[in-house]
Amino acid sequence: MEEAIDLETLCQQKGLRMTDQRRTIAAVLSKAKDHPDIEEIHRRAALRDSRISLATVYRTMNLMEELGLVDRHEFGDGRARFEAAPDAHHDHIINVETGEIVEFVDPELEILQRQIAERLGYRLVDHRVELFAVRLNQDE
Amino acid sequence: MEEAIDLETLCQQKGLRMTDQRRTIAAVLSKAKDHPDIEEIHRRAALRDSRISLATVYRTMNLMEELGLVDRHEFGDGRARFEAAPDAHHDHIINVETGEIVEFVDPELEILQRQIAERLGYRLVDHRVELFAVRLNQDE
DNA sequence: CTAGCTGCAAATTCTTTGCTACTAT
DNA sequence: ATAGTAGCAAAGAATTTGCAGCTAG
């Protein structure tokens, strides 16, 4: 039973100056259940407050990413997509037929990756797993 | 004891018209042991034949990728990197301190990913694993 | 021959940045 | 007050494309 992440509060805790624009963008990301790109974030933010420029969205996303408040994804379509940093790490399955993105967590996968890195003499600091797949049955 | 992949032969088998430019680019990729970006491929190709334009490198890489002859990677630095499609699939560890990229294969990881996809109702068609890491000891 | 390829330069797309005015603290 | 922020428009960086001439098969 988790509430949407309160990104605005996290921003304040990080000492960010809270402008109306940042509040709006934080709200958009907090309630987003998908992985919107910059244009889409801007579109949604503009619905709440039309005084928000694309440049501000770019700057805000870079800022929040550096602070670890949002995750940036590059799913291979040429633009960055974002999501509020989840409490727990997860990976993604991309349905190559529909573009739909499904999140999943697999502890075994997490452990295995750490082991692989260590076996090769590395300490894992981050990782990315993207599974490109199609639905099993033909029920769409 | 594998020889470098003969990309030129593969191109011909796919029915590609073999121009000097494509031959040169194929040779560059065949002998590359790293993951060069477009500029780097162009630079190396130009050493062999200065009549090659950037546009042709872009077009050729798109073509070869569509034919499955090369793999495209997006390691998060904003530009695409390429490698001749390997005989066997492998994944990558990116040393976040040096930018060095190490390839690895882990059958267990391959199997686990397929299982995860199936468990969620998908059939895996492709996947990407990137481990961002630092060297364990301070011996560099 | 001629469909396909190339170089060049212009165009696109995504993202960053300089600058001046504004505002949260 | 004042350091940080916003908007705008221009600049950048990576990639694609229109076109006229060249070339592999």
Side-chain angles (χ1 to χ4, degrees):
Chain A
M1 298 309 141
E2 299 183 8
E3 284 299 310
I5 300 163
D6 187 351
L7 197 48
E8 179 178 337
T9 302
L10 290 172
C11 286
Q12 288 171 332
Q13 287 174 1
K14 288 282 185 178
L16 277 195
R17 185 184 286 195
M18 289 315 288
T19 61
D20 290 344
Q21 288 88 335
R22 285 182 183 165
R23 237 182 287 277
T24 302
I25 292 170
V28 165
L29 287 166
S30 285
K31 73 176 291 220
K33 297 192 192 307
D34 50 354
H35 305 74
D37 61 22
I38 293 282
E39 295 268 7
E40 181 60 25
I41 294 167
H42 180 240
R43 195 171 302 124
R44 295 181 194 176
L47 292 178
R48 296 163 176 246
D49 180 348
S50 61
R51 303 165 310 151
I52 297 180
S53 71
L54 249 192
T56 292
V57 180
Y58 272 107
R59 281 192 275 235
T60 302
M61 297 318 296
N62 285 341
L63 193 60
M64 291 186 180
E65 188 203 6
E66 278 162 28
L67 295 175
L69 303 179
V70 304
D71 284 349
R72 173 193 302 263
H73 300 291
E74 312 267 0
F75 289 134
D77 50 4
R79 60 229 140 105
R81 295 163 164 277
F82 298 86
E83 66 179 321
D87 301 322
H89 169 80
H90 63 242
D91 294 307
H92 300 91
I93 291 190
I94 296 103
N95 185 327
V96 295
E97 292 176 332
T98 66
E100 180 197 18
I101 293 165
V102 178
E103 302 177 349
F104 72 89
V105 183
D106 190 284
E108 202 182 335
L109 181 61
E110 302 296 311
I111 293 167
L112 182 54
Q113 292 179 80
R114 187 157 305 138
Q115 288 175 343
I116 290 170
E118 280 172 12
R119 197 179 304 150
L120 294 167
Y122 290 90
R123 180 171 57 77
L124 206 55
V125 297
D126 195 7
H127 67 128
R128 179 195 302 169
V129 174
E130 285 156 23
L131 306 184
F132 299 89
V134 296
R135 293 246 53 150
L136 267 176
N137 308 318
Q138 49 268 54
D139 51 3
E140 198 55 48
Chain B
M1 297 308 143
E2 300 184 6
E3 284 299 309
I5 300 163
D6 186 349
L7 197 48
E8 180 180 336
T9 302
L10 290 172
C11 287
Q12 288 172 331
Q13 287 174 1
K14 288 282 186 179
L16 276 195
R17 186 184 284 197
M18 290 313 289
T19 62
D20 289 346
Q21 287 87 337
R22 287 184 182 165
R23 237 183 286 277
T24 301
I25 292 170
V28 165
L29 287 166
S30 285
K31 76 175 291 215
K33 297 193 194 304
D34 51 355
H35 305 73
D37 61 21
I38 293 281
E39 295 268 6
E40 181 61 25
I41 294 168
H42 181 239
R43 195 171 302 121
R44 295 180 194 177
L47 291 178
R48 296 163 176 244
D49 179 349
S50 61
R51 304 166 308 152
I52 296 180
S53 72
L54 249 193
T56 292
V57 179
Y58 273 107
R59 281 190 275 233
T60 302
M61 298 316 297
N62 286 340
L63 193 60
M64 290 185 181
E65 189 203 7
E66 280 163 26
L67 294 175
L69 302 178
V70 303
D71 284 350
R72 172 193 303 262
H73 300 291
E74 312 267 359
F75 290 135
D77 49 4
R79 61 228 140 105
R81 295 163 164 275
F82 298 86
E83 67 179 321
D87 302 321
H89 170 80
H90 63 244
D91 293 308
H92 299 93
I93 290 190
I94 296 101
N95 184 325
V96 295
E97 291 176 333
T98 66
E100 180 196 18
I101 294 165
V102 178
E103 303 177 350
F104 72 89
V105 183
D106 190 284
E108 203 183 334
L109 182 62
E110 303 295 311
I111 293 166
L112 181 55
Q113 291 180 80
R114 186 157 307 139
Q115 288 174 343
I116 291 169
E118 281 171 11
R119 197 180 302 151
L120 294 167
Y122 290 90
R123 180 171 58 76
L124 206 55
V125 297
D126 195 7
H127 66 128
R128 179 194 302 168
V129 174
E130 285 155 24
L131 305 184
F132 298 89
V134 296
R135 293 247 53 153
L136 266 177
N137 307 318
Q138 49 270 51
D139 52 3
E140 200 54 48

mmCIF file of all heavy atoms in Angstrom, chain B residues 19 22 51-53 56 59, chain C residues 3-9:
data_model
loop_
_atom_site.group_PDB
_atom_site.id
_atom_site.type_symbol
_atom_site.label_atom_id
_atom_site.label_comp_id
_atom_site.label_asym_id
_atom_site.label_seq_id
_atom_site.Cartn_x
_atom_site.Cartn_y
_atom_site.Cartn_z
ATOM 1 N N THR B 19 30.689 -1.492 -52.215
ATOM 2 C CA THR B 19 31.475 -0.350 -52.678
ATOM 3 C C THR B 19 32.787 -0.320 -51.902
ATOM 4 O O THR B 19 32.930 -1.003 -50.893
ATOM 5 C CB THR B 19 30.716 0.952 -52.416
ATOM 6 O OG1 THR B 19 30.521 1.074 -51.007
ATOM 7 C CG2 THR B 19 29.367 0.933 -53.113
ATOM 8 N N ARG B 22 32.081 0.673 -48.289
ATOM 9 C CA ARG B 22 31.552 -0.377 -47.423
ATOM 10 C C ARG B 22 32.618 -1.408 -47.090
ATOM 11 O O ARG B 22 32.678 -1.913 -45.973
ATOM 12 C CB ARG B 22 30.357 -1.055 -48.103
ATOM 13 C CG ARG B 22 29.146 -0.144 -48.090
ATOM 14 C CD ARG B 22 27.932 -0.826 -48.657
ATOM 15 N NE ARG B 22 26.807 0.101 -48.665
ATOM 16 C CZ ARG B 22 25.690 -0.088 -49.344
ATOM 17 N NH1 ARG B 22 25.549 -1.170 -50.095
ATOM 18 N NH2 ARG B 22 24.733 0.793 -49.283
ATOM 19 N N ARG B 51 38.228 9.034 -49.015
ATOM 20 C CA ARG B 51 37.018 9.431 -49.738
ATOM 21 C C ARG B 51 35.744 8.964 -49.032
ATOM 22 O O ARG B 51 34.744 8.663 -49.694
ATOM 23 C CB ARG B 51 37.009 8.840 -51.147
ATOM 24 C CG ARG B 51 38.221 9.158 -52.014
ATOM 25 C CD ARG B 51 38.207 8.217 -53.201
ATOM 26 N NE ARG B 51 38.084 6.823 -52.732
ATOM 27 C CZ ARG B 51 37.531 5.838 -53.445
ATOM 28 N NH1 ARG B 51 37.053 6.069 -54.641
ATOM 29 N NH2 ARG B 51 37.472 4.623 -52.950
ATOM 30 N N ILE B 52 35.773 8.847 -47.740
ATOM 31 C CA ILE B 52 34.581 8.358 -47.049
ATOM 32 C C ILE B 52 33.976 9.469 -46.207
ATOM 33 O O ILE B 52 34.660 10.086 -45.409
ATOM 34 C CB ILE B 52 34.940 7.156 -46.156
ATOM 35 C CG1 ILE B 52 35.425 6.011 -47.047
ATOM 36 C CG2 ILE B 52 33.753 6.726 -45.328
ATOM 37 C CD1 ILE B 52 35.802 4.769 -46.305
ATOM 38 N N SER B 53 32.698 9.707 -46.407
ATOM 39 C CA SER B 53 32.035 10.780 -45.655
ATOM 40 C C SER B 53 31.369 10.235 -44.408
ATOM 41 O O SER B 53 31.069 9.045 -44.302
ATOM 42 C CB SER B 53 30.982 11.455 -46.529
ATOM 43 O OG SER B 53 29.886 10.590 -46.700
ATOM 44 N N THR B 56 28.046 8.584 -45.031
ATOM 45 C CA THR B 56 28.115 7.191 -45.493
ATOM 46 C C THR B 56 28.337 6.247 -44.322
ATOM 47 O O THR B 56 27.768 5.149 -44.289
ATOM 48 C CB THR B 56 29.237 7.033 -46.536
ATOM 49 O OG1 THR B 56 28.856 7.735 -47.711
ATOM 50 C CG2 THR B 56 29.460 5.571 -46.884
ATOM 51 N N ARG B 59 24.980 5.916 -42.719
ATOM 52 C CA ARG B 59 24.080 5.084 -43.516
ATOM 53 C C ARG B 59 24.492 3.617 -43.484
ATOM 54 O O ARG B 59 23.654 2.720 -43.373
ATOM 55 C CB ARG B 59 24.025 5.609 -44.956
ATOM 56 C CG ARG B 59 23.120 6.828 -45.080
ATOM 57 C CD ARG B 59 22.855 7.210 -46.530
ATOM 58 N NE ARG B 59 23.904 8.049 -47.072
ATOM 59 C CZ ARG B 59 23.689 9.237 -47.672
ATOM 60 N NH1 ARG B 59 22.472 9.706 -47.792
ATOM 61 N NH2 ARG B 59 24.692 9.933 -48.138
ATOM 62 P P DA C 3 16.031 1.171 -62.636
ATOM 63 O OP1 DA C 3 15.280 0.300 -63.550
ATOM 64 O OP2 DA C 3 15.623 2.581 -62.429
ATOM 65 O "O5'" DA C 3 16.118 0.440 -61.224
ATOM 66 C "C5'" DA C 3 16.639 -0.883 -61.168
ATOM 67 C "C4'" DA C 3 17.585 -1.015 -59.982
ATOM 68 O "O4'" DA C 3 18.840 -0.347 -60.264
ATOM 69 C "C3'" DA C 3 17.056 -0.409 -58.690
ATOM 70 O "O3'" DA C 3 17.429 -1.266 -57.622
ATOM 71 C "C2'" DA C 3 17.764 0.954 -58.617
ATOM 72 C "C1'" DA C 3 19.100 0.664 -59.301
ATOM 73 N N9 DA C 3 19.668 1.802 -60.018
ATOM 74 C C8 DA C 3 18.993 2.828 -60.629
ATOM 75 N N7 DA C 3 19.788 3.705 -61.223
ATOM 76 C C5 DA C 3 21.059 3.209 -60.986
ATOM 77 C C6 DA C 3 22.336 3.672 -61.352
ATOM 78 N N6 DA C 3 22.547 4.777 -62.086
ATOM 79 N N1 DA C 3 23.408 2.940 -60.951
ATOM 80 C C2 DA C 3 23.201 1.825 -60.223
ATOM 81 N N3 DA C 3 22.043 1.291 -59.816
ATOM 82 C C4 DA C 3 21.010 2.035 -60.242
ATOM 83 P P DG C 4 17.165 -0.912 -56.136
ATOM 84 O OP1 DG C 4 16.824 -2.178 -55.443
ATOM 85 O OP2 DG C 4 16.264 0.266 -56.098
ATOM 86 O "O5'" DG C 4 18.600 -0.460 -55.638
ATOM 87 C "C5'" DG C 4 19.713 -1.294 -55.929
ATOM 88 C "C4'" DG C 4 20.982 -0.570 -55.511
ATOM 89 O "O4'" DG C 4 21.270 0.500 -56.440
ATOM 90 C "C3'" DG C 4 20.900 0.083 -54.128
ATOM 91 O "O3'" DG C 4 22.141 -0.147 -53.499
ATOM 92 C "C2'" DG C 4 20.713 1.561 -54.449
ATOM 93 C "C1'" DG C 4 21.576 1.668 -55.704
ATOM 94 N N9 DG C 4 21.317 2.818 -56.556
ATOM 95 C C8 DG C 4 20.111 3.333 -56.942
ATOM 96 N N7 DG C 4 20.223 4.375 -57.744
ATOM 97 C C5 DG C 4 21.590 4.544 -57.882
ATOM 98 C C6 DG C 4 22.327 5.513 -58.618
ATOM 99 O O6 DG C 4 21.907 6.429 -59.323
ATOM 100 N N1 DG C 4 23.698 5.325 -58.479
ATOM 101 C C2 DG C 4 24.293 4.329 -57.725
ATOM 102 N N2 DG C 4 25.621 4.298 -57.698
ATOM 103 N N3 DG C 4 23.619 3.420 -57.036
ATOM 104 C C4 DG C 4 22.276 3.590 -57.156
ATOM 105 P P DC C 5 22.412 0.229 -52.038
ATOM 106 O OP1 DC C 5 23.040 -0.943 -51.410
ATOM 107 O OP2 DC C 5 21.217 0.874 -51.467
ATOM 108 O "O5'" DC C 5 23.555 1.339 -52.211
ATOM 109 C "C5'" DC C 5 24.722 0.985 -52.930
ATOM 110 C "C4'" DC C 5 25.661 2.161 -53.006
ATOM 111 O "O4'" DC C 5 25.151 3.097 -53.975
ATOM 112 C "C3'" DC C 5 25.836 2.931 -51.696
ATOM 113 O "O3'" DC C 5 27.229 3.053 -51.434
ATOM 114 C "C2'" DC C 5 25.201 4.283 -51.953
ATOM 115 C "C1'" DC C 5 25.271 4.403 -53.474
ATOM 116 N N1 DC C 5 24.164 5.179 -54.066
ATOM 117 C C2 DC C 5 24.462 6.280 -54.870
ATOM 118 O O2 DC C 5 25.646 6.586 -55.057
ATOM 119 N N3 DC C 5 23.444 6.998 -55.406
ATOM 120 C C4 DC C 5 22.183 6.636 -55.186
ATOM 121 N N4 DC C 5 21.225 7.372 -55.741
ATOM 122 C C5 DC C 5 21.851 5.513 -54.374
ATOM 123 C C6 DC C 5 22.861 4.816 -53.841
ATOM 124 P P DT C 6 27.728 3.816 -50.168
ATOM 125 O OP1 DT C 6 28.952 3.137 -49.737
ATOM 126 O OP2 DT C 6 26.589 4.007 -49.259
ATOM 127 O "O5'" DT C 6 28.122 5.233 -50.772
ATOM 128 C "C5'" DT C 6 29.079 5.311 -51.817
ATOM 129 C "C4'" DT C 6 29.429 6.765 -52.090
ATOM 130 O "O4'" DT C 6 28.337 7.351 -52.848
ATOM 131 C "C3'" DT C 6 29.583 7.593 -50.822
ATOM 132 O "O3'" DT C 6 30.842 8.252 -50.797
ATOM 133 C "C2'" DT C 6 28.427 8.583 -50.858
ATOM 134 C "C1'" DT C 6 27.990 8.595 -52.317
ATOM 135 N N1 DT C 6 26.519 8.725 -52.475
ATOM 136 C C2 DT C 6 26.021 9.726 -53.258
ATOM 137 O O2 DT C 6 26.715 10.516 -53.857
ATOM 138 N N3 DT C 6 24.653 9.773 -53.315
ATOM 139 C C4 DT C 6 23.767 8.937 -52.672
ATOM 140 O O4 DT C 6 22.557 9.082 -52.805
ATOM 141 C C5 DT C 6 24.357 7.902 -51.866
ATOM 142 C C7 DT C 6 23.487 6.949 -51.118
ATOM 143 C C6 DT C 6 25.694 7.844 -51.799
ATOM 144 P P DG C 7 31.326 8.966 -49.504
ATOM 145 O OP1 DG C 7 32.759 8.652 -49.284
ATOM 146 O OP2 DG C 7 30.341 8.738 -48.427
ATOM 147 O "O5'" DG C 7 31.211 10.500 -49.954
ATOM 148 C "C5'" DG C 7 31.780 10.923 -51.178
ATOM 149 C "C4'" DG C 7 31.410 12.368 -51.442
ATOM 150 O "O4'" DG C 7 30.001 12.426 -51.783
ATOM 151 C "C3'" DG C 7 31.608 13.289 -50.243
ATOM 152 O "O3'" DG C 7 32.191 14.509 -50.701
ATOM 153 C "C2'" DG C 7 30.197 13.493 -49.688
ATOM 154 C "C1'" DG C 7 29.309 13.306 -50.915
ATOM 155 N N9 DG C 7 28.026 12.680 -50.639
ATOM 156 C C8 DG C 7 27.791 11.623 -49.803
ATOM 157 N N7 DG C 7 26.533 11.248 -49.769
ATOM 158 C C5 DG C 7 25.897 12.117 -50.644
ATOM 159 C C6 DG C 7 24.524 12.196 -51.020
ATOM 160 O O6 DG C 7 23.579 11.498 -50.647
ATOM 161 N N1 DG C 7 24.306 13.227 -51.936
ATOM 162 C C2 DG C 7 25.269 14.056 -52.427
ATOM 163 N N2 DG C 7 24.863 14.986 -53.287
ATOM 164 N N3 DG C 7 26.561 13.995 -52.084
ATOM 165 C C4 DG C 7 26.797 13.003 -51.189
ATOM 166 P P DC C 8 32.737 15.571 -49.700
ATOM 167 O OP1 DC C 8 33.909 16.191 -50.344
ATOM 168 O OP2 DC C 8 32.859 14.958 -48.364
ATOM 169 O "O5'" DC C 8 31.562 16.641 -49.682
ATOM 170 C "C5'" DC C 8 31.039 17.126 -50.934
ATOM 171 C "C4'" DC C 8 29.807 17.960 -50.671
ATOM 172 O "O4'" DC C 8 28.651 17.096 -50.585
ATOM 173 C "C3'" DC C 8 29.853 18.771 -49.374
ATOM 174 O "O3'" DC C 8 29.712 20.148 -49.662
ATOM 175 C "C2'" DC C 8 28.694 18.233 -48.548
ATOM 176 C "C1'" DC C 8 27.787 17.594 -49.603
ATOM 177 N N1 DC C 8 26.996 16.454 -49.103
ATOM 178 C C2 DC C 8 25.674 16.310 -49.533
ATOM 179 O O2 DC C 8 25.199 17.126 -50.317
ATOM 180 N N3 DC C 8 24.935 15.257 -49.076
ATOM 181 C C4 DC C 8 25.482 14.381 -48.216
ATOM 182 N N4 DC C 8 24.724 13.365 -47.809
ATOM 183 C C5 DC C 8 26.829 14.512 -47.768
ATOM 184 C C6 DC C 8 27.549 15.554 -48.225
ATOM 185 P P DA C 9 29.917 21.234 -48.463
ATOM 186 O OP1 DA C 9 30.876 22.241 -48.938
ATOM 187 O OP2 DA C 9 30.144 20.540 -47.185
ATOM 188 O "O5'" DA C 9 28.465 21.882 -48.424
ATOM 189 C "C5'" DA C 9 27.588 21.716 -49.533
ATOM 190 C "C4'" DA C 9 26.161 21.856 -49.050
ATOM 191 O "O4'" DA C 9 25.650 20.562 -48.604
ATOM 192 C "C3'" DA C 9 26.028 22.794 -47.851
ATOM 193 O "O3'" DA C 9 24.812 23.508 -47.988
ATOM 194 C "C2'" DA C 9 25.979 21.831 -46.663
ATOM 195 C "C1'" DA C 9 25.207 20.658 -47.270
ATOM 196 N N9 DA C 9 25.452 19.381 -46.608
ATOM 197 C C8 DA C 9 26.587 18.974 -45.946
ATOM 198 N N7 DA C 9 26.500 17.760 -45.443
ATOM 199 C C5 DA C 9 25.230 17.350 -45.805
ATOM 200 C C6 DA C 9 24.531 16.149 -45.577
ATOM 201 N N6 DA C 9 25.037 15.121 -44.904
ATOM 202 N N1 DA C 9 23.274 16.060 -46.069
ATOM 203 C C2 DA C 9 22.764 17.105 -46.748
ATOM 204 N N3 DA C 9 23.330 18.275 -47.034
ATOM 205 C C4 DA C 9 24.577 18.334 -46.524
#
